[in-house]
Coordinates of all heavy atoms in Angstrom, one line a residue:
Y87 N 23.2 5.6 -4.5 CA 23.7 5.4 -5.9 C 24.8 4.4 -5.9 O 25.6 4.2 -5.0 CB 24.2 6.8 -6.3 CG 24.9 6.8 -7.7 CD1 24.2 6.7 -8.9 CD2 26.3 6.9 -7.8 CE1 24.8 6.7 -10.1 CE2 26.9 6.9 -9.0 CZ 26.2 6.8 -10.2 OH 26.8 6.8 -11.4
M88 N 24.9 3.7 -7.1 CA 26.0 2.8 -7.3 C 26.7 3.2 -8.6 O 26.0 3.1 -9.7 CB 25.6 1.3 -7.4 CG 26.8 0.3 -7.4 SD 26.3 -1.3 -7.9 CE 26.3 -1.1 -9.7
T89 N 27.9 3.5 -8.6 CA 28.6 3.9 -9.8 C 29.1 2.7 -10.6 O 29.4 1.6 -10.0 CB 29.9 4.7 -9.5 OG1 30.7 5.0 -10.7 CG2 30.8 4.0 -8.5
P90 N 29.1 2.8 -12.0 CA 29.5 1.6 -12.8 C 31.1 1.4 -12.7 O 31.6 0.4 -13.2 CB 29.1 2.0 -14.2 CG 29.0 3.5 -14.2 CD 28.5 3.8 -12.8
R91 N 31.7 2.3 -11.9 CA 33.2 2.2 -11.7 C 33.5 1.0 -10.9 O 34.7 0.6 -10.7 CB 33.8 3.4 -11.1 CG 33.7 4.6 -12.0 CD 34.4 5.9 -11.4 NE 33.6 6.4 -10.4 CZ 33.9 6.4 -9.1 NH1 35.0 5.8 -8.7 NH2 33.1 7.0 -8.2
V92 N 32.5 0.3 -10.3 CA 32.7 -0.8 -9.4 C 33.0 -2.1 -10.3 O 33.5 -3.1 -9.7 CB 31.5 -1.1 -8.5 CG1 31.3 0.0 -7.6 CG2 30.3 -1.5 -9.3
Y93 N 32.8 -2.0 -11.6 CA 33.0 -3.2 -12.4 C 34.4 -3.2 -13.0 O 35.0 -2.1 -13.2 CB 32.0 -3.2 -13.6 CG 30.5 -3.4 -13.1 CD1 29.6 -2.4 -13.1 CD2 30.1 -4.7 -12.7 CE1 28.3 -2.5 -12.8 CE2 28.8 -4.9 -12.4 CZ 27.9 -3.8 -12.4 OH 26.6 -4.0 -12.0
P94 N 34.9 -4.4 -13.3 CA 36.3 -4.5 -13.9 C 36.3 -4.1 -15.4 O 37.4 -3.9 -15.9 CB 36.7 -5.9 -13.7 CG 35.4 -6.7 -13.6 CD 34.4 -5.7 -13.0
D95 N 35.1 -4.0 -16.0 CA 35.1 -3.6 -17.4 C 34.2 -2.3 -17.6 O 33.6 -1.9 -16.6 CB 34.5 -4.8 -18.3 CG 33.1 -5.2 -17.7 OD1 33.1 -5.7 -16.6 OD2 32.1 -5.1 -18.4
L96 N 34.2 -1.8 -18.8 CA 33.6 -0.4 -19.0 C 32.2 -0.4 -19.5 O 31.5 0.5 -19.2 CB 34.5 0.3 -20.0 CG 36.0 0.6 -19.6 CD1 36.7 1.3 -20.7 CD2 36.0 1.4 -18.3
A97 N 31.7 -1.5 -20.1 CA 30.4 -1.5 -20.7 C 29.3 -1.7 -19.7 O 28.6 -2.8 -19.7 CB 30.3 -2.5 -21.8
R98 N 29.2 -0.9 -18.7 CA 28.2 -1.0 -17.6 C 27.5 0.3 -17.4 O 28.0 1.4 -17.9 CB 28.9 -1.4 -16.3 CG 29.8 -2.7 -16.4 CD 28.9 -3.9 -16.7 NE 29.8 -5.1 -16.7 CZ 29.6 -6.1 -15.8 NH1 28.7 -6.1 -14.9 NH2 30.4 -7.2 -15.9
V99 N 26.5 0.3 -16.6 CA 25.7 1.5 -16.4 C 25.5 1.7 -14.9 O 25.6 0.8 -14.1 CB 24.3 1.5 -17.1 CG1 24.5 1.4 -18.6 CG2 23.5 0.2 -16.6
P100 N 25.1 3.0 -14.4 CA 24.8 3.2 -13.0 C 23.5 2.5 -12.6 O 22.7 2.2 -13.4 CB 24.7 4.7 -12.9 CG 25.3 5.3 -14.2 CD 25.1 4.2 -15.2
T101 N 23.3 2.4 -11.3 CA 22.1 1.9 -10.8 C 21.9 2.5 -9.4 O 22.7 3.3 -8.9 CB 22.0 0.4 -10.8 OG1 20.6 0.0 -10.5 CG2 22.9 -0.2 -9.8
W102 N 20.9 2.1 -8.7 CA 20.6 2.5 -7.3 C 20.4 1.3 -6.5 O 19.6 0.4 -6.9 CB 19.4 3.4 -7.3 CG 19.4 4.4 -6.1 CD1 19.0 4.2 -4.8 CD2 20.0 5.7 -6.2 NE1 19.2 5.3 -4.1 CE2 19.8 6.3 -4.9 CE3 20.5 6.5 -7.2 CZ2 20.2 7.6 -4.6 CZ3 20.9 7.8 -6.9 CH2 20.8 8.3 -5.6
N103 N 21.0 1.2 -5.3 CA 20.8 0.1 -4.4 C 20.0 0.5 -3.2 O 20.1 1.6 -2.8 CB 22.2 -0.5 -4.0 CG 22.9 -1.3 -5.0 OD1 22.2 -2.0 -5.8 ND2 24.2 -1.2 -5.1
N173 N 22.9 -5.5 -5.8 CA 23.7 -6.0 -7.0 C 24.2 -7.4 -6.7 O 25.3 -7.8 -7.3 CB 24.8 -5.0 -7.3 CG 25.1 -4.8 -8.8 OD1 24.1 -4.8 -9.5 ND2 26.3 -4.7 -9.2
R176 N 25.6 -9.7 -9.5 CA 26.8 -9.2 -10.2 C 28.0 -9.3 -9.2 O 28.5 -8.3 -8.7 CB 26.6 -7.8 -10.7 CG 25.5 -7.6 -11.7 CD 25.9 -8.2 -13.1 NE 24.9 -7.9 -14.1 CZ 24.0 -8.8 -14.5 NH1 24.0 -10.0 -14.0 NH2 23.0 -8.5 -15.4
E178 N 31.0 -9.8 -9.5 CA 32.3 -9.1 -9.9 C 32.3 -7.6 -9.4 O 33.4 -7.0 -9.4 CB 32.5 -9.1 -11.4 CG 31.5 -8.3 -12.2 CD 30.2 -9.1 -12.5 OE1 29.9 -10.1 -11.8 OE2 29.5 -8.6 -13.5
S179 N 31.2 -7.1 -9.0 CA 31.2 -5.7 -8.5 C 31.3 -5.6 -7.0 O 31.5 -4.5 -6.5 CB 29.8 -5.1 -8.9 OG 28.8 -5.7 -8.2
H180 N 31.2 -6.7 -6.3 CA 31.0 -6.6 -4.8 C 32.2 -6.0 -4.1 O 32.0 -5.2 -3.2 CB 30.7 -8.0 -4.3 CG 29.3 -8.4 -4.7 ND1 28.8 -9.7 -4.4 CD2 28.4 -7.8 -5.5 CE1 27.6 -9.8 -4.9 NE2 27.3 -8.7 -5.6
E182 N 34.6 -3.9 -4.9 CA 34.8 -2.5 -5.1 C 33.6 -1.7 -4.6 O 33.8 -0.6 -4.1 CB 35.1 -2.2 -6.6 CG 35.4 -0.7 -6.9 CD 36.6 -0.2 -6.3 OE1 37.4 -1.0 -5.7 OE2 36.9 1.0 -6.4
M183 N 32.4 -2.3 -4.8 CA 31.2 -1.6 -4.2 C 31.3 -1.5 -2.7 O 31.0 -0.4 -2.2 CB 30.0 -2.4 -4.6 CG 28.7 -1.7 -4.3 SD 27.3 -2.6 -5.1 CE 27.0 -3.9 -4.0
L186 N 33.9 1.3 -1.8 CA 33.4 2.7 -2.0 C 32.3 3.0 -1.0 O 32.2 4.1 -0.4 CB 32.8 2.8 -3.4 CG 33.9 2.8 -4.5 CD1 33.2 2.9 -5.9 CD2 34.9 3.9 -4.3
Y187 N 31.4 2.0 -0.7 CA 30.3 2.3 0.3 C 30.9 2.5 1.7 O 30.4 3.4 2.4 CB 29.3 1.1 0.3 CG 28.3 1.2 -0.8 CD1 27.5 0.1 -1.1 CD2 28.1 2.4 -1.6 CE1 26.5 0.2 -2.1 CE2 27.1 2.4 -2.5 CZ 26.3 1.3 -2.8 OH 25.4 1.4 -3.8

Side-chain angles (χ1 to χ4, degrees):
Y87 171 76
M88 191 197 81
T89 175
R91 292 182 289 111
V92 299
Y93 293 106
D95 53 300
L96 299 179
R98 304 295 184 116
V99 295
T101 190
W102 208 271
N103 284 325
N173 221 36
R176 300 282 186 261
E178 68 275 19
S179 69
H180 292 176
E182 183 64 8
M183 189 169 80
L186 291 178
Y187 277 167

